[in-house]
Amino acid sequence: RYKSSGSRQPVPPAPDLDADGTPSYEVERVLSHRQATHRRKPTWEFLVKWTGYGQESNEWIPYRNFNQHDVIKDYWDSIG
């Protein structure tokens, strides 16, 4: 996700590891949402800003991959 551009930008923090050793990244905030289709079923995707990473690392994440549901609730609350 992160590439060094050779500039003096700070290096992003290393991700935490889950119990099974899988990297786990923290969502700073949700920026937007869109409806997508997964296996012919409608689903939500959220554009996320990762904690400690620049905007070039923002990416669309399907709802099913979220474990920080409070961040999604905060987003829905913020847009009314």
Side-chain angles (χ1 to χ4, degrees):
R1 285 196 184 133
Y2 178 78
K3 286 185 183 178
S4 174
S5 62
S7 65
R8 295 180 184 245
Q9 296 177 345
V11 175
D16 294 329
L17 298 178
D18 289 343
D20 64 358
T22 304
S24 177
Y25 298 88
E26 182 179 345
V27 174
E28 183 176 315
R29 68 180 188 266
V30 174
L31 305 172
S32 187
H33 69 280
R34 66 183 181 191
Q35 193 168 22
T37 303
H38 176 72
R39 296 184 181 164
R40 298 183 187 181
K41 294 181 182 177
T43 186
W44 290 108
E45 292 183 341
F46 297 91
L47 182 61
V48 300
K49 163 75 172 82
W50 300 108
T51 300
Y53 292 81
Q55 68 180 15
E56 68 280 355
S57 296
N58 296 353
E59 64 182 311
W60 290 99
I61 302 295
Y63 176 78
R64 69 184 177 281
N65 291 1
F66 263 89
N67 58 8
Q68 291 179 259
H69 297 286
D70 57 324
V71 176
I72 294 174
K73 182 185 180 314
D74 291 345
Y75 169 72
W76 287 125
D77 290 347
S78 75
I79 63 169

